[in-house]
Short mmCIF file of all heavy atoms in Angstrom, two decimals:
data_model
loop_
_atom_site.label_atom_id
_atom_site.label_comp_id
_atom_site.label_asym_id
_atom_site.label_seq_id
_atom_site.Cartn_x
_atom_site.Cartn_y
_atom_site.Cartn_z
N THR A 1 120.39 87.37 95.14
CA THR A 1 119.12 88.06 95.08
C THR A 1 118.61 88.35 96.55
O THR A 1 118.06 89.39 96.83
CB THR A 1 118.08 87.21 94.32
OG1 THR A 1 118.49 86.99 93.01
CG2 THR A 1 116.74 87.86 94.33
N GLY A 2 118.76 87.38 97.44
CA GLY A 2 118.34 87.55 98.81
C GLY A 2 119.05 88.73 99.49
O GLY A 2 118.34 89.54 100.16
N PHE A 3 120.32 88.96 99.27
CA PHE A 3 121.04 90.05 99.87
C PHE A 3 120.55 91.36 99.25
O PHE A 3 120.48 92.41 99.98
CB PHE A 3 122.56 89.87 99.64
CG PHE A 3 123.18 88.95 100.67
CD1 PHE A 3 123.72 87.72 100.33
CD2 PHE A 3 123.21 89.31 101.98
CE1 PHE A 3 124.28 86.91 101.27
CE2 PHE A 3 123.81 88.51 102.96
CZ PHE A 3 124.34 87.28 102.62
N ILE A 4 120.21 91.39 97.94
CA ILE A 4 119.73 92.58 97.32
C ILE A 4 118.36 92.90 97.88
O ILE A 4 118.01 94.09 98.14
CB ILE A 4 119.62 92.37 95.81
CG1 ILE A 4 121.07 92.29 95.16
CG2 ILE A 4 118.90 93.53 95.10
CD1 ILE A 4 121.09 91.92 93.73
N LEU A 5 117.48 91.87 98.07
CA LEU A 5 116.15 92.13 98.61
C LEU A 5 116.16 92.55 100.11
O LEU A 5 115.19 93.12 100.57
CB LEU A 5 115.30 90.88 98.47
CG LEU A 5 115.07 90.35 97.02
CD1 LEU A 5 114.04 89.24 97.01
CD2 LEU A 5 114.49 91.50 96.11
N ARG A 6 117.29 92.30 100.74
CA ARG A 6 117.37 92.77 102.19
C ARG A 6 117.59 94.24 102.29
O ARG A 6 117.39 94.79 103.41
CB ARG A 6 118.50 91.98 102.89
CG ARG A 6 118.12 90.62 103.37
CD ARG A 6 119.24 89.84 103.99
NE ARG A 6 119.78 90.58 105.21
CZ ARG A 6 120.72 90.08 105.99
NH1 ARG A 6 121.24 88.89 105.73
NH2 ARG A 6 121.15 90.69 107.07
N LEU A 7 117.92 94.90 101.22
CA LEU A 7 118.14 96.32 101.34
C LEU A 7 116.85 96.99 101.76
O LEU A 7 115.75 96.70 101.26
CB LEU A 7 118.54 96.84 99.95
CG LEU A 7 119.92 96.40 99.39
CD1 LEU A 7 120.11 96.89 97.98
CD2 LEU A 7 121.05 96.81 100.28
N PRO A 8 116.98 97.94 102.71
CA PRO A 8 115.72 98.53 103.31
C PRO A 8 114.82 99.33 102.33
O PRO A 8 113.71 99.58 102.58
CB PRO A 8 116.25 99.41 104.40
CG PRO A 8 117.73 99.65 104.11
CD PRO A 8 118.16 98.44 103.36
N ILE A 9 115.41 99.63 101.18
CA ILE A 9 114.65 100.49 100.20
C ILE A 9 113.49 99.79 99.65
O ILE A 9 112.59 100.39 99.06
CB ILE A 9 115.62 101.03 99.07
CG1 ILE A 9 116.16 99.82 98.31
CG2 ILE A 9 116.61 101.97 99.54
CD1 ILE A 9 116.99 100.23 97.03
N TRP A 10 113.43 98.41 99.68
CA TRP A 10 112.36 97.68 99.09
C TRP A 10 111.18 97.54 100.06
O TRP A 10 110.15 96.96 99.63
CB TRP A 10 112.82 96.31 98.61
CG TRP A 10 114.08 96.39 97.76
CD1 TRP A 10 115.22 95.64 98.03
CD2 TRP A 10 114.28 97.08 96.61
NE1 TRP A 10 116.15 95.92 97.06
CE2 TRP A 10 115.61 96.76 96.16
CE3 TRP A 10 113.49 97.97 95.80
CZ2 TRP A 10 116.14 97.35 95.00
CZ3 TRP A 10 114.08 98.51 94.70
CH2 TRP A 10 115.35 98.18 94.27
N GLY A 11 111.28 98.00 101.24
CA GLY A 11 110.14 97.94 102.20
C GLY A 11 109.64 96.64 102.61
O GLY A 11 108.46 96.36 102.47
N GLN A 12 110.50 95.78 103.07
CA GLN A 12 110.07 94.49 103.57
C GLN A 12 109.16 94.65 104.74
O GLN A 12 109.43 95.44 105.67
CB GLN A 12 111.26 93.64 103.98
CG GLN A 12 110.90 92.21 104.46
CD GLN A 12 112.17 91.30 104.50
OE1 GLN A 12 113.01 91.29 103.58
NE2 GLN A 12 112.34 90.70 105.69
N PRO A 13 108.01 93.97 104.83
CA PRO A 13 107.06 94.17 105.90
C PRO A 13 107.62 93.73 107.27
O PRO A 13 108.36 92.74 107.27
CB PRO A 13 105.78 93.30 105.50
CG PRO A 13 106.39 92.29 104.57
CD PRO A 13 107.50 92.93 103.82
N PRO A 14 107.27 94.43 108.37
CA PRO A 14 107.75 93.93 109.70
C PRO A 14 107.08 92.66 110.04
O PRO A 14 106.04 92.27 109.51
CB PRO A 14 107.30 95.08 110.56
CG PRO A 14 106.22 95.82 109.87
CD PRO A 14 106.48 95.65 108.40
N ASP A 15 107.70 91.92 111.01
CA ASP A 15 107.23 90.63 111.37
C ASP A 15 105.70 90.61 111.74
O ASP A 15 105.00 89.67 111.33
CB ASP A 15 108.03 90.13 112.61
CG ASP A 15 109.42 89.69 112.26
OD1 ASP A 15 109.77 89.75 111.12
OD2 ASP A 15 110.23 89.40 113.21
N GLN A 16 105.26 91.64 112.45
CA GLN A 16 103.86 91.60 112.92
C GLN A 16 102.89 91.79 111.79
O GLN A 16 101.65 91.45 111.95
CB GLN A 16 103.63 92.69 113.99
CG GLN A 16 103.76 94.12 113.50
CD GLN A 16 105.20 94.67 113.66
OE1 GLN A 16 106.15 93.87 113.70
NE2 GLN A 16 105.30 95.98 113.78
N ASN A 17 103.36 92.29 110.67
CA ASN A 17 102.42 92.43 109.52
C ASN A 17 102.55 91.35 108.42
O ASN A 17 101.94 91.52 107.33
CB ASN A 17 102.68 93.84 108.88
CG ASN A 17 102.31 94.96 109.78
OD1 ASN A 17 103.17 95.66 110.34
ND2 ASN A 17 101.03 95.16 110.04
N CYS A 18 103.29 90.29 108.73
CA CYS A 18 103.43 89.27 107.75
C CYS A 18 102.16 88.44 107.63
O CYS A 18 101.29 88.47 108.55
CB CYS A 18 104.58 88.29 108.14
SG CYS A 18 106.26 88.96 107.90
N PHE A 19 101.98 87.86 106.48
CA PHE A 19 100.79 86.98 106.23
C PHE A 19 99.45 87.69 106.41
O PHE A 19 98.44 87.15 106.78
CB PHE A 19 100.81 85.74 107.10
CG PHE A 19 102.13 85.03 107.18
CD1 PHE A 19 102.90 85.10 108.35
CD2 PHE A 19 102.62 84.37 106.08
CE1 PHE A 19 104.15 84.48 108.36
CE2 PHE A 19 103.83 83.74 106.11
CZ PHE A 19 104.62 83.80 107.28
N ASP A 20 99.41 89.00 106.09
CA ASP A 20 98.24 89.80 106.26
C ASP A 20 98.01 90.73 105.05
O ASP A 20 98.84 91.58 104.80
CB ASP A 20 98.43 90.64 107.57
CG ASP A 20 97.09 91.35 107.96
OD1 ASP A 20 96.19 91.41 107.12
OD2 ASP A 20 97.03 91.80 109.14
N ASP A 21 96.86 90.53 104.41
CA ASP A 21 96.54 91.35 103.23
C ASP A 21 96.43 92.81 103.48
O ASP A 21 96.75 93.62 102.62
CB ASP A 21 95.22 90.84 102.62
CG ASP A 21 95.41 89.64 101.73
OD1 ASP A 21 96.49 89.50 101.15
OD2 ASP A 21 94.41 88.90 101.52
N SER A 22 95.98 93.16 104.72
CA SER A 22 95.58 94.59 104.90
C SER A 22 96.78 95.58 104.86
O SER A 22 96.57 96.75 104.77
CB SER A 22 94.93 94.71 106.33
OG SER A 22 95.81 94.29 107.34
N ILE A 23 98.03 95.02 104.92
CA ILE A 23 99.16 95.89 104.81
C ILE A 23 99.35 96.43 103.35
O ILE A 23 99.85 97.57 103.17
CB ILE A 23 100.48 95.12 105.28
CG1 ILE A 23 101.67 96.13 105.31
CG2 ILE A 23 100.79 93.97 104.32
CD1 ILE A 23 102.94 95.46 105.81
N TYR A 24 98.87 95.69 102.36
CA TYR A 24 99.04 96.07 100.97
C TYR A 24 97.75 96.25 100.16
O TYR A 24 97.71 96.65 99.05
CB TYR A 24 99.95 95.11 100.24
CG TYR A 24 101.34 95.00 100.74
CD1 TYR A 24 101.86 93.82 101.26
CD2 TYR A 24 102.14 96.13 100.82
CE1 TYR A 24 103.16 93.74 101.76
CE2 TYR A 24 103.44 96.11 101.39
CZ TYR A 24 103.84 94.90 101.90
OH TYR A 24 105.18 94.84 102.34
N TRP A 25 96.59 95.82 100.77
CA TRP A 25 95.32 95.83 100.04
C TRP A 25 94.26 96.50 100.87
O TRP A 25 94.28 96.50 102.09
CB TRP A 25 94.88 94.37 99.80
CG TRP A 25 95.73 93.57 98.91
CD1 TRP A 25 96.89 92.86 99.29
CD2 TRP A 25 95.64 93.38 97.49
NE1 TRP A 25 97.46 92.22 98.22
CE2 TRP A 25 96.66 92.54 97.08
CE3 TRP A 25 94.65 93.79 96.54
CZ2 TRP A 25 96.82 92.10 95.75
CZ3 TRP A 25 94.84 93.41 95.20
CH2 TRP A 25 95.93 92.54 94.80
N GLU A 26 93.33 97.05 100.15
CA GLU A 26 92.02 97.57 100.76
C GLU A 26 91.17 96.28 101.02
O GLU A 26 90.74 95.65 100.12
CB GLU A 26 91.33 98.47 99.87
CG GLU A 26 91.92 99.85 99.64
CD GLU A 26 91.90 100.70 100.85
OE1 GLU A 26 91.16 100.33 101.79
OE2 GLU A 26 92.58 101.74 100.89
N VAL A 27 91.03 95.97 102.29
CA VAL A 27 90.33 94.75 102.67
C VAL A 27 88.90 95.18 103.03
O VAL A 27 88.71 96.22 103.76
CB VAL A 27 91.00 94.06 103.84
CG1 VAL A 27 90.18 92.84 104.33
CG2 VAL A 27 92.40 93.66 103.51
N PRO A 28 87.86 94.47 102.61
CA PRO A 28 86.44 94.85 102.95
C PRO A 28 86.31 94.98 104.42
O PRO A 28 86.79 94.24 105.27
CB PRO A 28 85.65 93.64 102.40
CG PRO A 28 86.48 93.12 101.32
CD PRO A 28 87.90 93.28 101.74
N GLU A 29 85.56 96.08 104.79
CA GLU A 29 85.37 96.38 106.22
C GLU A 29 84.82 95.25 107.04
O GLU A 29 85.12 95.01 108.18
CB GLU A 29 84.54 97.59 106.36
CG GLU A 29 85.16 98.93 105.97
CD GLU A 29 84.23 100.16 106.05
OE1 GLU A 29 83.26 99.99 106.83
OE2 GLU A 29 84.50 101.14 105.38
N GLU A 30 83.83 94.54 106.43
CA GLU A 30 83.21 93.47 107.11
C GLU A 30 84.20 92.44 107.53
O GLU A 30 84.12 91.91 108.73
CB GLU A 30 82.23 92.82 106.14
CG GLU A 30 81.20 91.86 106.77
CD GLU A 30 80.21 91.31 105.78
OE1 GLU A 30 79.68 92.11 105.01
OE2 GLU A 30 80.00 90.13 105.77
N GLU A 31 85.17 92.13 106.71
CA GLU A 31 86.21 91.14 107.06
C GLU A 31 87.03 91.67 108.25
O GLU A 31 87.37 90.99 109.14
CB GLU A 31 87.14 90.87 105.82
CG GLU A 31 86.54 90.06 104.71
CD GLU A 31 86.51 88.59 105.12
OE1 GLU A 31 87.35 88.15 105.90
OE2 GLU A 31 85.59 87.92 104.64
N GLU A 32 87.38 92.94 108.13
CA GLU A 32 88.22 93.51 109.24
C GLU A 32 87.43 93.48 110.54
O GLU A 32 87.99 93.19 111.56
CB GLU A 32 88.65 94.92 108.87
CG GLU A 32 89.67 95.05 107.77
CD GLU A 32 90.08 96.44 107.49
OE1 GLU A 32 89.33 97.38 107.81
OE2 GLU A 32 91.27 96.60 107.03
N GLU A 33 86.19 93.86 110.53
CA GLU A 33 85.33 93.83 111.65
C GLU A 33 85.26 92.45 112.27
O GLU A 33 85.26 92.28 113.50
CB GLU A 33 83.94 94.42 111.39
CG GLU A 33 83.93 95.93 111.13
CD GLU A 33 82.64 96.42 110.64
OE1 GLU A 33 81.66 95.58 110.48
OE2 GLU A 33 82.53 97.62 110.24
N ASN A 34 85.05 91.45 111.48
CA ASN A 34 84.93 90.10 111.91
C ASN A 34 86.23 89.63 112.57
O ASN A 34 86.21 89.05 113.60
CB ASN A 34 84.65 89.11 110.69
CG ASN A 34 83.25 89.24 110.23
OD1 ASN A 34 82.35 89.72 110.94
ND2 ASN A 34 82.95 88.77 109.06
#
C-alpha cells in the first residue's frame, strides 16, 4: 500500500505543508492572521 500511495497522482503534500490544515481546508481568517 505504501508503494501505491507514493505514486505522484495521489498528490502527497510537500514537506513544508505537512501538519497544516490550510492546505486542504478553508481556515478562518482570524486564525490565519493570528
Side-chain angles (χ1 to χ4, degrees):
T1 300
F3 278 113
I4 293 172
L5 297 186
R6 277 179 61 174
L7 297 174
I9 58 172
W10 310 124
Q12 183 167 309
D15 289 353
Q16 66 269 25
N17 295 108
C18 286
F19 313 109
D20 190 344
D21 276 334
S22 63
I23 186 175
Y24 297 122
W25 296 85
E26 290 288 351
V27 178
E29 290 179 19
E30 194 176 313
E31 287 285 331
E32 290 184 333
E33 288 169 5
N34 287 342

